[in-house]
């Protein structure tokens, strides 16, 4: 498989600046930096992504390369199979990185490529919806009791739903906590099925390597999304505006989401002090689930925003499935999902003010939240 990615490394080397970039490390914990890396890539913010990547490399060392691969499959995916292949090629060959200028040089370049690439979160929506949506329980039971041969046939059958093919492929792969408990697997056969269906060899090879090294099943979804996106009219890339975010001590507030302690605290404050959000949650969500529902709604309001997006027939429906699944899991009734998301989108400014206030309180600084909001109005 590594030979199949040799061209990816060659293309990656062409754009490398062999001089290590100068950068000032960001002052934040690893969770904030990890969040900032992924969100800035989603937003196409190259300089922030590079600085976050190099800070993360300084904090966590080789953990950056696994993070890059997950971001490539979760946020780029079918948007650029080329960038996905280059990311896997560069992230899994330490000897090549050393020969090509070192980890800092390669990390900065990959952060740029990922930030500039067209984005697709369809693989994330597919794995989330397939694994957890209540309406697909029967499909999950069917594939879990099927033979490897039958599931491979299901993956190859284009008349099957995308979710059924995803579940069948996941079951065959043996990748991920749930599937590793299922007796028998055949990842090579699944990869061969992708090849026979017409998935580019580089993407197949990258998928096999990333799935094996990361143990994340999302990698297996990208070939299926690529096939769906290229079945019929060619996919297109559309540009989109992302919610404005203030910056405090070089950290954009959008990084403080449900994956960070400060982000969670700020979202809980929003529920406490924003009467519209608090009353909505009190009406529609059980007490034990309200904070989780708020975390998830805040994530979709600004942390999941993409500056560019791959559009194809079926992408919007898949995004709706993934979003609905995530909100159902945290106790939001299906008919209240869109009203809740609209409410959080309308109150991003309030959330950002509370994010800034939370940071200032923890650091013992003067509260600059009001100043940040004034910057927004300007």
């Amino acid at each position: 498989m590594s030979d199949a990615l040799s061209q990816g490394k060659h293309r990656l080397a062409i754009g490398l600046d062999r001089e290590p970039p100068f950068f000032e490390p960001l002052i934040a914990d690893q969770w904030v930096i990890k969040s900032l890396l992924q969100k800035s890539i989603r937003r196409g913010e190259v300089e922030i992504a590079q600085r976050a990547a190099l800070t993360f490399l300084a904090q966590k060392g080789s953990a950056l390369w696994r993070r890059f691969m997950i971001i490539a499959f979760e946020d780029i995916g079918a948007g650029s199979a080329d960038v996905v292949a280059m990311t896997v090629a560069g992230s899994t060959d330490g000897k090549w990185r050393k020969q090509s200028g070192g980890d800092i040089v390669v990390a900065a370049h990959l952060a740029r490529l990922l930030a500039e690439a067209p984005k697709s979160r369809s693989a994330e929506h597919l794995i989330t919806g397939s694994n957890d949506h209540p309406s697909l329980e029967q499909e999950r039971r069917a594939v879990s009791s099927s033979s490897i041969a039958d599931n491979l046939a299901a993956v190859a059958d284009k008349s099957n739903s995308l979710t059924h093919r995803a579940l069948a492929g996941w079951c065959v792969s043996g990748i991920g906590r749930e599937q590793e408990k299922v007796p028998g697997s055949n990842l090579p056969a699944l990869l061969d099925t992708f090849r026979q269906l017409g998935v580019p060899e580089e993407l197949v090879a990258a998928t096999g390597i990333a799935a094996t090294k990361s143990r994340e099943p999302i990698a297996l979804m990208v070939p299926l999304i690529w096939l769906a996106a290229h079945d019929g009219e060619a996919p297109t890339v559309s540009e989109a505006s992302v919610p404005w975010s203030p910056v405090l001590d070089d950290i954009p507030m959008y990084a403080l989401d449900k994956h960070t302690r400060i982000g969670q605290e700020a979202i809980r404050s929003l529920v406490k002090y924003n009467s519209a959000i608090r009353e909505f949650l009190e009406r529609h969500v059980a007490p034990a689930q309200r904070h989780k529902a708020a975390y998830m709604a805040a994530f979709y309001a600004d942390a999941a925003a993409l500056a560019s997006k791959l559009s194809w027939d079926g992408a919007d429906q898949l995004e709706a499935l993934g979003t609905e699944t995530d909100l159902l899991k945290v106790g939001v009734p299906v008919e209240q999902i869109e009203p809740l998301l609209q409410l959080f989108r309308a109150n991003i400014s309030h959330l950002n003010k509370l994010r800034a206030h939370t940071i200032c309180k923890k650091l013992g600084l003067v509260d600059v939240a009001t100043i940040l909001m004034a910057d927004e109005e300007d």
Side-chain angles (χ1 to χ4, degrees):
M1 276 188 197
S2 59
D3 290 343
L5 295 182
S6 60
Q7 287 301 310
K9 279 184 279 195
H10 176 71
R11 294 193 305 278
L12 190 57
I14 292 174
L16 278 175
D17 181 353
R18 300 298 178 111
E19 284 295 319
F22 171 78
F23 83 103
E24 288 188 48
L26 292 160
I27 308 302
D29 66 44
Q30 62 174 298
W31 306 108
V32 172
I33 298 302
K34 181 179 177 181
S35 175
L36 177 59
L37 173 61
Q38 190 153 11
K39 276 66 171 188
S40 60
I41 285 173
R42 288 175 184 164
R43 288 169 172 247
E45 297 176 344
V46 172
E47 292 183 4
I48 296 175
Q50 289 180 316
R51 195 172 172 193
L54 296 179
T55 302
F56 192 75
L57 179 64
Q59 289 178 334
K60 299 294 291 180
S62 61
L64 174 67
W65 309 113
R66 182 179 186 276
R67 193 75 226 149
F68 268 155
M69 286 195 290
I70 292 172
I71 291 172
F73 282 89
E74 184 174 330
D75 296 310
I76 311 302
S80 177
D82 183 44
V83 169
V84 170
M86 285 192 287
T87 300
V88 174
S91 295
T92 55
D93 193 335
K95 181 178 179 181
W96 176 85
R97 292 196 303 270
K98 185 175 181 180
Q99 294 170 345
S100 302
D103 284 355
I104 291 177
V105 167
V106 177
H109 188 53
L110 280 177
R112 172 179 288 279
L113 289 176
L114 290 164
E116 291 179 340
K119 311 295 188 292
S120 172
R121 283 180 44 77
S122 292
E124 168 68 13
H125 299 312
L126 180 56
I127 192 70
T128 297
S130 299
N131 189 48
D132 291 312
H133 199 282
S135 68
L136 299 175
E137 180 59 29
Q138 187 173 347
E139 286 189 41
R140 288 191 284 272
R141 291 178 181 175
V143 299
S144 64
S145 61
S146 296
S147 67
I148 288 177
D150 285 344
N151 278 330
L152 286 171
V155 172
D157 188 348
K158 294 182 179 181
S159 68
N160 285 329
S161 67
L162 192 55
T163 53
H164 188 88
R165 297 171 76 189
L167 286 166
W170 187 8
C171 197
V172 167
S173 73
I175 298 295
R177 294 178 186 173
E178 295 182 14
Q179 302 312 319
E180 286 172 2
K181 297 176 184 178
V182 178
S185 63
N186 195 336
L187 179 60
L190 176 62
L191 299 177
D192 282 339
T193 299
F194 290 150
R195 289 187 183 93
Q196 292 163 15
L197 290 168
V199 178
E201 177 58 32
E202 267 197 340
L203 181 55
V204 174
T207 296
I209 293 170
T212 301
K213 288 186 175 293
S214 73
R215 308 311 295 175
E216 292 289 344
I218 192 170
L220 306 168
M221 303 297 107
V222 171
L224 288 171
I225 296 297
W226 189 92
L227 288 168
H230 290 83
D231 184 21
E233 293 186 11
T236 60
V237 176
S238 57
E239 303 299 317
S241 59
V242 296
W244 178 85
S245 184
V247 176
L248 180 59
D249 282 350
D250 294 337
I251 302 294
M253 295 297 95
Y254 62 71
L256 307 179
D257 74 338
K258 68 188 182 77
H259 296 102
T260 69
R261 187 172 298 175
I262 293 176
Q264 289 185 359
E265 184 174 337
I267 294 166
R268 291 196 300 271
S269 294
L270 183 69
V271 174
K272 181 178 180 179
Y273 295 114
N274 188 295
S275 58
I277 288 176
R278 183 180 66 253
E279 291 168 6
F280 185 97
L281 292 170
E282 288 173 350
R283 284 197 305 272
H284 301 295
V285 180
Q289 295 279 65
R290 286 172 191 161
H291 283 153
K292 291 181 181 179
Y295 297 157
M296 191 64 73
F299 170 80
Y300 276 103
D302 74 341
L306 302 177
S308 63
K309 188 175 179 180
L310 187 74
S311 299
W312 51 278
D313 187 21
D316 290 343
Q317 295 91 322
L318 198 55
E319 181 176 356
L321 175 69
T323 305
E324 183 177 292
T325 302
D326 274 339
L327 272 297
L328 286 174
K329 285 193 295 183
V330 293
V332 182
V334 65
E335 67 276 7
Q336 300 301 331
I337 289 175
E338 187 54 36
L340 179 62
L341 292 178
Q342 289 179 4
L343 190 56
F344 268 78
R345 293 183 191 117
N347 285 279
I348 286 297
S349 292
H350 192 183
L351 176 57
N352 281 330
K353 184 175 181 178
L354 291 167
R355 286 164 166 165
H357 174 77
T358 303
I359 292 176
C360 290
K361 182 176 66 174
K362 286 190 174 299
L363 298 180
L365 302 175
V366 175
D367 190 342
V368 298
T370 303
I371 298 174
L372 291 173
M373 292 304 104
D375 289 344
E376 178 186 17
E377 292 172 1
D378 293 342

